[in-house]
Amino acid sequence: SSSGATHSALGPGARLARAHEGGADMACHWRRWLVPTLLWHTSAFVPAQSVEGSHGPESGTLFPKVTFPDETGRQVTIDPDKSLDSFPGKRLVLWWYPKADTPGCTKEGKAFEAMNQAYSVHDVQILGISADVPADNKAFSDKYSFKYPLLSDVDRSLPAALEVTSRRWAILLNEDRTVEEFWTDIPDPEMFPVMPLSYLAAQKWAPHKEL
């Protein structure tokens, strides 16, 4: 049918966004598309430390203590001390984007938003971060109804501290705020949000492989 042809022509991020907007269709969408994608793509992205010539933190290293304002001006702290951390007991996935409300960043942000509930199942908090000022991030968040914080690092202090030179990267932090995984030079921002989720799913399913 014509509607089927239109759906098949859409990219994966666009399909995620459409499923998100469809509300009741989301559960069906996860079963028919996302779950097989998670299984197939688990190894599609590799940690930065295994990519020759790339830069970034090693797995197991302690993430720096940082505090940045989110799009509302609220101060968000990442700290191994749970009494100071803004998300104690949760793992964090931070994705750095070059510029708010630009095409690639919008695709990545919308894909993360479409998968926000799936990340929550794994008790993972999504955090976007860029060098944009809070007002620009707020306009970005409001425009696309993001339900996760967008942090402002206007001095680019975090990439400097992590020695990251990539324009687009992401990091997964454990509850103790050590680095679990790091992805650099992300080539497809629309598809990338599947990758940390597939990594989390693989971890969860690994103990059952021999059953």
Side-chain angles (χ1 to χ4, degrees):
S1 67
S2 59
S3 61
T6 300
H7 179 80
S8 63
L10 293 172
R15 291 200 297 273
L16 285 171
R18 175 167 291 185
H20 178 63
E21 294 169 0
D25 294 332
M26 180 61 105
C28 181
H29 184 81
W30 291 129
R31 291 194 299 270
R32 293 192 304 176
W33 182 82
L34 182 57
V35 172
T37 299
L38 293 178
L39 291 169
W40 196 84
H41 284 286
T42 297
S43 301
F45 279 76
V46 293
Q49 53 265 32
S50 66
V51 180
E52 184 177 357
S54 63
H55 300 281
E58 297 284 341
S59 294
T61 58
L62 189 63
F63 192 77
K65 300 177 183 180
V66 294
T67 299
F68 298 114
D70 69 8
E71 75 283 0
T72 69
R74 180 177 69 102
Q75 297 296 310
V76 173
T77 297
I78 300 173
D79 195 304
D81 185 340
K82 292 183 178 180
S83 67
L84 300 176
D85 194 271
S86 296
F87 307 98
K90 287 182 175 288
R91 290 152 103 181
L92 306 177
V93 59
L94 287 82
W95 61 284
W96 180 278
Y97 53 97
K99 183 66 177 174
D101 204 11
T102 54
C105 302
T106 297
K107 290 176 182 178
E108 192 169 11
K110 290 171 70 174
F112 267 119
E113 177 58 37
M115 299 182 207
N116 199 0
Q117 185 174 358
Y119 275 98
S120 296
V121 169
H122 294 280
D123 208 22
V124 175
Q125 173 66 50
I126 299 170
L127 296 170
I129 182 168
S130 71
D132 296 293
V133 298
D136 288 347
N137 275 335
K138 187 176 190 308
F140 186 32
S141 179
D142 289 349
K143 183 175 180 179
Y144 297 104
S145 300
F146 296 152
K147 296 180 179 63
Y148 54 83
L150 299 180
L151 308 183
S152 293
D153 178 12
V154 294
D155 296 324
R156 301 178 185 269
S157 60
L158 184 57
L162 298 177
E163 299 183 346
V164 177
T165 57
S166 172
R167 294 180 67 250
R168 194 184 301 277
W169 52 272
I171 192 166
L172 177 66
L173 302 180
N174 280 313
E175 295 91 336
D176 63 2
R177 299 305 174 243
T178 55
V179 175
E180 186 167 348
E181 290 291 335
F182 176 73
W183 297 267
T184 189
D185 299 328
I186 295 168
D188 187 343
E190 184 176 21
M191 191 65 221
F192 173 73
V194 175
M195 299 306 125
L197 191 56
S198 68
Y199 169 84
L200 295 165
Q203 281 191 321
K204 184 175 182 178
W205 298 332
H208 306 288
K209 284 183 177 179
E210 297 181 359
L211 296 181

